[in-house]
Every structure is written in structure tokens, then in C-alpha cells.
Amino acid sequence: MDDVDATLAALADPTRRKVIDLLREGPRPAGELAQAVQMSAPALSRHLRVLRGVGLVEVATGGDDARLRLYTLRQEPFEALRAWLDQVQAFWAEQLGSFKDHVERGR
């Protein structure tokens, strides 16, 4: 599975998209994320593992307290997804432009 496929598969789940939305506001500990999505810590842990596995998020220890794990977004997978979407959009823009030209020539 390539990176874009893995990213799309991970983002297919609404809970994981909600976690991404929360992390757009800034780094958060796992417990706060679990509370925000109204899910137990073990259940959210599975979602965070998927997000980490595809590289959408990373985790760091929280300063003085080594037990505190802060989750943050990683930019690179989103850039790869954006590049792929830009290619799809360019394809459709070209197709629609060609269709428009064809229709206008037929008038």
C-alpha cells in the first residue's frame, strides 16, 4: 500500500478524523483526546496506533513528566495527499476544459 492509500485508509474512520481535527488546534495528550472523542483510553489507543503507523501523528514525551505523551500532527503525509489531490484536480480541470471547447466548437 503506498503512502496516499495508507493515509486515506486511516482517515476513512470518523474517530481518527476527529482526532486529526483536534490536533490541528495543537498538541494534546492521549487522555485529553480520549475524553474529547468520548472514548475509553484503550479504544482510542488503537486509533492513535493507526495514525502513528501511517505517519499522520507523532508522539513525544511531555517535558518533565516522562509519562505524559503529547500527540502532534506531521505535515509530510498531508503534503503527499495534497499533491495527489492536486493531480486529480488538474486532470478534471483539463477534461472539463476540453469538453467546454468541444461544446463551443459544435455550436
Side-chain angles (χ1 to χ4, degrees):
M1 184 182 311
D2 76 3
D3 292 341
V4 172
D5 289 343
T7 297
L8 290 172
L11 294 175
D13 184 278
T15 299
R16 292 193 282 267
R17 288 193 308 273
K18 177 67 175 168
V19 168
I20 295 296
D21 287 340
L22 291 165
L23 291 176
R24 286 182 19 223
E25 299 169 6
R28 292 193 184 208
E32 187 178 314
L33 291 168
Q35 189 174 32
V37 297
Q38 301 176 343
M39 185 174 280
S40 70
L44 182 66
S45 178
R46 289 187 288 276
H47 289 288
L48 290 171
R49 193 175 317 119
V50 170
L51 293 172
R52 276 192 331 267
V54 300
L56 289 169
V57 301
E58 60 188 4
V59 64
T61 56
D64 295 337
D65 187 353
R67 296 171 298 164
L68 181 63
R69 298 168 57 87
L70 290 175
Y71 287 84
T72 59
L73 291 178
R74 291 189 64 243
Q75 185 174 350
E76 296 85 356
F78 293 100
E79 288 174 347
L81 180 58
R82 166 58 72 194
W84 179 78
L85 289 170
D86 287 346
Q87 291 171 357
V88 172
Q89 183 180 8
F91 166 80
W92 283 112
E94 181 181 329
Q95 294 298 309
L96 292 173
S98 294
F99 180 70
K100 179 183 174 204
D101 293 344
H102 172 74
V103 169
E104 289 175 351
R105 280 192 305 267
R107 288 186 185 170

